[in-house]
Amino acid sequence: MSQRVRTAVFPVAGLGTRFLPATKAMPKEMLTVVDRPLIQYAVDEAREAGVEHFVFVTGRNKSVIEDHFDRQFELETTLESRGKLEALKELQRDLPSAGHTSFTRQQEPLGLGHAVWCARDIVGDKPFALLLPDMLFKGEPGVLKQMIDTYEETGGNVVAVEEVPESEISSYGVIARGGGPDRGFEITGMVEKPKREDAPSNLIISGRYILQPEIFSLLADQPRGAGGEIQLTDAMQTLMTRQRFTGVKYQGQSFDCGSKTGFLTANVVYALDRDDIRPGFLRELRKLDLEDRL
Ligand code: G1P
């Protein structure tokens, strides 16, 4: 039987240069889709999949993420005294339980592979989930839960993938597909940010992984790859010679909130899907004469 995945790693050290000036003093993971920060969606998704310990690999300017996952007694007392009990309950529900968060710093921006490696001592010798909070998924169940369902059958390493148009392929890690069904096929190769003509498929790595701890020793010696950064994809490609990698073409919709258009689209879709916001939001949208603007 495969060992249970109880720990998830969230790399949140990126500089967020694509969202300046919004991210000059505020981490990009705290940008909100409607009224929840991106990092909260990723934590919710992990919790739904059975994760109990949340490891954040942070950098400068990120202490607000630590505050976000802490109790705020002044706020809680105020909400209570004003009778806003629903809001209070929701805040408490969002919090991981005491002792179940860890924070470590990536001291230099050397790439995703290096960020993951920084979590090695906290994760230890166990399989773990890795969630890139830029990628937001709307799915029932969530993408990580779908992956865990596959992992329970296959063990090893599991990577969520999705199809993208050819023009977007070179912005991502891309996999080569072997045999098996959409919900659990063998991955036979992967390459980080290939040229369009060199890409092995149009299936990209979507930012959700279940990894075995052997990845850490490979990351320790991983030479720099695409963009001069230490790439997780390169270390996974090496690990693939020794361990199984399974691809899961997940069901649901993804929003790349690392890009402005993905982020804005997510806000529109999440707002329209909220019963408390939809009617008023639609009313305002209709006033905009969108036909003229589109
Ligand atoms: C990272 C990964 C890449 C993956 C992408 C998903 O790239 O290296 O393989 O496809 O996340 O968002 P980054 O977005 O950090 O350039």
Side-chain angles (χ1 to χ4, degrees), residues 14-290:
L15 295 174
T17 49
R18 279 193 279 177
F19 276 92
L20 284 169
T23 48
K24 190 174 167 198
M26 183 184 74
K28 66 175 171 169
E29 296 78 13
M30 290 301 290
L31 291 170
T32 51
V33 170
V34 187
D35 51 10
R36 295 171 82 69
L38 280 172
I39 187 67
Q40 183 75 55
Y41 288 97
V43 163
D44 294 346
E45 184 188 327
R47 200 143 47 162
E48 180 204 5
V51 166
E52 291 160 10
H53 191 149
F54 306 84
V55 182
F56 301 90
V57 182
T58 72
R60 267 184 297 278
N61 277 341
K62 305 282 182 163
S63 49
V64 60
I65 295 179
E66 224 164 310
D67 294 340
H68 180 75
F69 290 108
D70 194 3
R71 291 189 69 174
Q72 280 255 31
F73 287 105
E74 202 184 328
L75 178 64
E76 289 181 20
T77 316
T78 310
L79 288 174
E80 201 167 3
S81 66
R82 293 189 185 164
K84 301 201 165 180
L85 300 182
E86 201 38 56
L88 178 61
K89 249 203 276 168
E90 203 168 308
L91 277 188
Q92 289 169 344
R93 224 181 7 239
D94 289 346
L95 269 190
S97 43
H100 278 174
T101 50
S102 298
F103 296 85
T104 186
R105 277 203 181 204
Q106 184 186 24
Q107 292 156 330
E108 290 173 86
L110 294 179
L112 176 62
H114 179 257
V116 173
W117 180 73
C118 289
R120 68 199 179 282
D121 277 5
I122 302 174
V123 172
D125 193 22
K126 299 176 303 262
F128 63 100
L130 171 66
L131 295 93
L132 312 189
D134 277 3
M135 295 299 277
L136 178 60
F137 296 101
K138 223 171 191 317
E140 286 272 339
V143 173
L144 190 62
K145 174 76 176 76
Q146 296 178 35
M147 295 166 70
I148 292 278
D149 290 345
T150 299
Y151 169 77
E152 280 168 358
E153 286 167 26
T154 60
N157 304 269
V158 181
V159 176
V161 302
E162 68 189 81
E163 282 178 19
V164 296
E166 262 199 28
S167 58
E168 292 172 22
I169 284 179
S170 45
S171 307
Y172 296 97
V174 184
I175 63 119
R177 179 173 179 161
D182 277 359
R183 302 299 290 273
F185 57 86
E186 198 180 341
I187 297 178
T188 55
M190 51 176 72
V191 51
E192 183 65 19
K193 303 197 174 66
K195 286 199 200 118
R196 206 195 290 196
E197 56 276 20
D198 298 334
S201 73
N202 64 345
L203 287 170
I204 63 145
I205 298 172
S206 297
R208 297 291 183 272
Y209 313 75
I210 295 169
L211 294 169
Q212 296 297 320
E214 287 75 21
I215 196 76
F216 290 124
S217 56
L218 294 171
L219 285 170
D221 304 321
Q222 186 59 52
R224 291 173 189 240
E229 297 189 339
I230 298 172
Q231 295 291 355
L232 175 65
T233 305
D234 296 343
M236 290 195 295
Q237 167 73 48
T238 309
L239 188 56
M240 206 176 298
T241 57
R242 298 176 218 161
Q243 291 184 359
R244 182 183 162 100
F245 273 74
T246 303
V248 171
K249 217 170 140 193
Y250 66 86
Q251 284 180 338
Q253 199 179 358
S254 73
F255 303 92
D256 183 351
C257 292
S259 88
K260 286 176 193 153
T261 46
F263 174 71
L264 292 170
T265 312
N267 266 288
V268 172
V269 172
Y270 275 71
L272 287 174
D273 283 355
R274 278 263 297 261
D275 291 343
D276 58 330
I277 295 177
R278 182 182 167 84
F281 188 41
L282 273 179
R283 228 174 10 252
E284 291 304 319
L285 286 177
R286 288 197 179 105
K287 279 194 223 156
L288 287 178
D289 285 330
L290 278 180

